Amino acid sequence: MEQRANFGSKLGIILASAGSAVGLGNVWRFPTEVGANGGAVFILIYIICVLVLGIPLMVAEFVVGRHTHRNTADAYRQLAPRSGWILQGYLGVFTAWFILCYYGVVAGWTLKYLVDALLGRVAAITDSAAYFTTFSSHPWMPIAYMVAVMLMCHFVIVRGVQNGIERYSKLMMPLLLLIIALLVVFSFSMPGSREGMRFLLRPDFSKVSPDVFLSAMGQAFFSLSIAMGCLCTYASYFTDDARLVKTAGSVALIDTTVAIMSGFIIFPAVFSVQGGTPDAGPGLVFITLPTVFQMAFDTVPWLGWFFSVLFYLLLLLAALTSMMSIHEPSTAFLLEHFSLRRHTATCIVTLSAIAVGVLCSLSFGPLADVRPLFGMTFFDFFDFISAKLFLPVGGIIISLFVGWKLPRELVHDEITNHGHLRFRFFALYRFVLRWVAPLAIGLVFLNELGLFK
Ligand code: PHE
């Protein structure tokens, strides 16, 4: 049998997994949530959620993937043959593919803005809201950009694990971290940025409500790429000496740092614009920020150009490394389950995602009024069903699976690399997976469905 692919180094493992975690969720969704949930308190609660729930669940997925060294669907089949748990494997594969379909649309927008920034067009936008709407509702332009981004992702995935995912993660992630650092400096240098800093750093405890907790938890899961088959698939390429807990900790640290730094980039900049509001929603990065860059253009033109290019490059890099990780679960499944060539499997996934992506993209234009699925547009439907429905359900199943179904020794062996490492919190870890995580995620789920509204 052909030897199965794996990552070549520990650094590659961490950077690829961090590439999955750091995505639009950090740069776009996190600041939006912080804005809507009262600033620093949200950040505090978010960090607690990452520590108490995020890291244990990441490790749980790593255990399943690394122990079996198989694609997600077959991993569950191997661990629990002929049982209902197998469905979780398929759920992971599907969830990842669903997310790929609509994530590619937004990634396409970031490419469009990067091109515009490079050409100096961001400076010339007079009404940034109208500009964004005109573009996103255009019948074919956003589709062209979506296809371009999907193809970029395709060309990485088709090269395989070491030559594709690992090599490009090692290239893109350090670049991304460097850009983030530069942008923080830029944002601090904007006039009036102190108000934004204050908003981020001073906790306002009057804002604490159950809703804030639930939003923080939902954001943590999305941001850490939990329950989407990605971590499990990547972990199936981990070498036997990889340290699961340490890897999860490093990835969580990088992911949270990037999210908070994105807040530091966006809020000082937003507050420096007259009338800038922190909770402007997704429009934050495509509508509010272009205005900020224009201000910089007006004072020092090349600086405005430089930083707008850096910002949209950052978004694109973040989106691409995440897309790679949502492409791989279904590719690995097709490749192994049906013994296809990597090239064929990758083509099937890319083409099918583009086909559905076209529908999602058109949701902002010609198909805006077409709501065939539960009164939602295609884009909203795919977002809803994956991020709001499958994600929490998958999270609950994974914690129950690793907490209750898998033999204690198996989990312990994976976490300690067969006794080579010490892990003092194992009992606590199992308790979290058995009780805390399923209950907490259950609450998030009911909240997403609007039961507490
Ligand atoms: N974690 C990524 C982000 O923050 C999104 C993502 C979701 C990546 C699902 C992989 C799987 O944007």
Side-chain angles (χ1 to χ4, degrees):
M1 198 181 117
E2 208 181 311
Q3 226 215 324
R4 198 170 183 275
N6 61 262
F7 287 120
S9 66
K10 289 194 183 141
L11 183 68
I13 287 178
I14 292 184
L15 290 183
S17 312
S20 169
V22 173
L24 296 170
N26 302 61
V27 189
W28 159 14
R29 201 165 178 259
F30 182 81
T32 309
E33 292 275 317
V34 173
N37 290 299
V41 191
F42 181 83
I43 301 186
L44 213 66
I45 298 175
Y46 178 82
I47 293 177
I48 297 174
C49 290
V50 167
L51 290 176
V52 176
L53 295 168
I55 295 182
L57 272 162
M58 286 176 92
V59 173
E61 284 207 56
F62 285 169
V63 166
V64 174
R66 213 257 310 255
H67 181 80
T68 55
H69 290 298
R70 286 173 177 230
N71 68 82
T72 305
D74 292 329
Y76 283 84
R77 187 186 295 282
Q78 176 184 327
L79 287 170
R82 287 181 296 283
S83 73
W85 297 107
I86 294 177
L87 289 178
Q88 169 56 28
Y90 287 97
L91 187 70
V93 171
F94 270 109
T95 312
W97 181 82
F98 275 133
I99 295 183
L100 179 63
C101 298
Y102 75 87
Y103 205 83
V105 175
V106 185
W109 298 346
T110 69
L111 177 62
K112 147 86 177 165
Y113 273 71
L114 174 61
V115 172
D116 281 359
L118 277 169
L119 297 176
R121 285 200 208 131
V122 171
I125 301 175
T126 43
D127 180 346
S128 50
Y131 187 83
F132 176 67
T133 318
T134 311
F135 164 68
S136 59
S137 61
H138 193 276
W140 58 263
M141 209 139 57
I143 295 180
Y145 281 103
M146 181 267 292
V147 172
V149 176
M150 290 276 197
L151 289 181
M152 288 181 192
C153 175
H154 178 92
F155 286 115
V156 175
I157 295 296
V158 89
R159 283 161 190 243
V161 178
Q162 271 193 30
N163 283 329
I165 299 174
E166 181 168 1
R167 176 181 309 159
Y168 285 92
S169 301
K170 277 180 164 171
L171 212 80
M172 283 152 68
M173 289 308 288
L175 183 61
L176 182 148
L177 296 174
L178 176 73
I179 296 180
I180 277 259
L182 285 173
L183 283 171
V184 170
V185 174
F186 165 69
S187 191
F188 283 164
S189 67
M190 297 289 285
S193 64
R194 290 185 59 185
E195 200 184 329
M197 291 288 300
R198 219 174 295 135
F199 176 76
L200 265 179
L201 291 181
R202 190 183 302 148
D204 174 0
F205 288 100
S206 68
K207 289 269 165 53
V208 181
S209 70
D211 214 36
V212 173
F213 268 94
L214 300 175
S215 305
M217 221 185 307
Q219 169 65 17
F221 289 160
F222 184 82
S223 189
L224 294 173
S225 313
I226 287 167
M228 324 224 191
C230 305
L231 297 176
C232 186
T233 305
Y234 272 13
S236 73
Y237 305 129
F238 285 7
T239 42
D240 287 334
D241 60 349
R243 301 172 169 217
L244 302 189
V245 178
K246 200 170 159 198
T247 306
S250 313
V251 172
L253 182 69
I254 297 177
D255 187 65
T256 308
T257 310
V258 171
I260 294 177
M261 287 182 64
S262 302
F264 278 130
I265 292 170
I266 288 178
F267 289 119
V270 167
F271 277 95
S272 71
V273 178
Q274 271 282 309
T277 42
D279 54 352
L284 201 59
V285 296
F286 293 113
I287 297 175
T288 314
L289 283 183
T291 320
V292 175
F293 295 131
Q294 277 154 29
M295 265 187 43
F297 266 118
D298 293 342
T299 30
V300 192
W302 70 265
L303 204 67
W305 178 85
F306 186 61
F307 282 105
S308 58
V309 169
L310 278 190
F311 181 76
Y312 291 109
L313 181 60
L314 164 76
L315 271 182
L316 183 65
L317 288 174
L320 266 178
T321 48
S322 292
M323 277 177 77
M324 282 150 45
S325 78
I326 9 185
H327 198 298
E328 183 63 18
S330 39
T331 305
F333 169 67
L334 292 177
L335 183 142
E336 291 175 4
H337 198 83
F338 300 105
S339 310
L340 299 181
R341 284 170 42 225
R342 178 165 271 274
H343 179 76
T344 317
T346 316
C347 283
I348 296 176
V349 175
T350 306
L351 290 176
S352 58
I354 287 180
V356 178
V358 167
L359 293 177
C360 292
S361 181
L362 290 174
S363 300
F364 293 89
L367 296 187
D369 296 322
V370 179
R371 294 161 187 270
L373 308 158
F374 305 103
M376 288 181 246
T377 64
F378 285 104
F379 184 96
D380 290 344
F381 175 74
F382 277 88
D383 178 27
F384 176 79
I385 195 163
S386 49
K388 301 250 156 77
L389 218 63
F390 290 171
L391 187 153
V393 170
I396 294 176
I397 301 178
I398 290 167
S399 45
L400 294 177
F401 183 70
V402 178
W404 293 96
K405 170 74 185 161
L406 286 189
R408 187 182 180 283
E409 298 68 44
L410 187 155
V411 180
H412 190 263
D413 278 352
E414 280 305 321
I415 290 185
T416 60
N417 287 359
H418 297 271
H420 288 299
L421 309 170
R422 270 183 41 168
F423 183 56
R424 265 179 287 150
F425 306 107
F426 189 68
L428 179 66
Y429 176 68
R430 286 243 300 172
F431 178 76
V432 168
L433 287 188
R434 289 182 151 199
W435 300 103
V436 184
L439 284 173
I441 306 170
L443 286 179
V444 177
F445 183 43
L446 297 179
N447 182 57
E448 300 276 19
L449 293 184
L451 255 71
F452 302 137
K453 296 265 153 66

